Amino acid sequence: MLLAAFLTGAFCVAATGAWYLLRDRFAAEARIMLRMSLCLAAILLPVQLYFGHLNGDYIHEHQPAKFAAIEARWHDEQPAAEVLIGIPDPATESNKYALSIPVLGSLIASMSFTSKEVGLTDFPRQDRPPVLIPFFAFRIMVGCWLIMLVLAWTGSYLIAKGRIEENRPLLWATFLSFPLPFIAILTGWFTAEVGRQPGPSTVSCGPRML
């Protein structure tokens, strides 16, 4: 969350600097804002990826049902494929229109090309988390991260070359990017909190610990 807070601040500052350059106002200050914020983001985004991977290792070990829900992995697989996108269908315990990469799921989960990864059917229905929200929220979060990485690295390169002001499409993209870290934070929390909840059949109307 600390890294996410720095990245959120960085992209808000970058968006403001980009707007100033697009409006041809405060050019000197805008260049400083872009240089400081995009270069900071270019460094912190890979660091965020590393800590996200450590968090994923923790979930894989201690919250396997949540991990399976995030991956929309219904059945045990060895080696496991990675579902890039699709539509999880809890009724049939399958994914519709899935685009998957073989073996990548095992590599991401266990750093192995041959590991066996558990599916949701290993858990009783009442102990499974909802699948749709963690599955899509996680992919939205990763998509926001990828867009921010491209903007930060491209912008830093153009700043180093002294050509940032000439690239108006990038300035517009940077200006419009300011919601991305907010969306990434929210979808990250949706993934974490919805993924830890049991299925609706176990939820009662009485008091309970969350």
Side-chain angles (χ1 to χ4, degrees), residues 32-118:
I32 294 173
M33 295 169 73
L34 282 168
R35 183 172 67 248
M36 293 181 65
S37 57
L38 290 180
C39 291
L40 176 64
I43 295 169
L44 291 186
L45 283 162
V47 177
Q48 182 76 298
L49 176 66
Y50 172 72
F51 280 96
H53 177 72
L54 295 181
N55 191 46
D57 286 344
Y58 177 88
I59 294 170
H60 181 259
E61 181 177 355
H62 298 286
Q63 298 176 310
K66 180 199 286 189
F67 195 91
I70 292 170
E71 298 295 314
R73 183 174 295 118
W74 297 98
H75 308 283
D76 294 356
E77 296 182 41
Q78 186 177 13
E82 177 71 14
V83 180
L84 297 181
I85 195 63
I87 303 177
D89 184 1
T92 61
E93 296 181 341
S94 63
N95 300 314
K96 296 180 178 179
Y97 315 112
L99 175 62
S100 304
I101 299 179
V103 183
L104 184 59
S106 289
L107 186 61
I108 291 175
S110 303
M111 299 301 292
S112 166
F113 291 102
T114 59
S115 66
K116 180 180 179 180
E117 303 301 328
V118 300

Side-chain angles (χ1 to χ4, degrees), residues 124-130 197-205:
R125 284 184 177 272
Q126 65 270 20
D127 295 335
R128 302 176 194 174
Q197 300 303 318
S201 61
T202 65
V203 177
S204 67
C205 294

Side-chain angles (χ1 to χ4, degrees), residues 1 12-13 25 38 42 72 81 85 93 96 100 114 116 126 128 133 136 139 149 151 165 172 185 190 198 206 208:
M1 278 305 302
C12 286
V13 172
R25 299 178 60 194
L38 290 180
I85 195 63
E93 296 181 341
K96 296 180 178 179
S100 304
T114 59
K116 180 180 179 180
Q126 65 270 20
R128 302 176 194 174
I133 293 177
F136 285 112
R139 280 148 183 79
L149 183 70
L151 289 174
E165 295 177 61
W172 273 110
I185 289 172
F190 289 156
R208 63 185 187 277

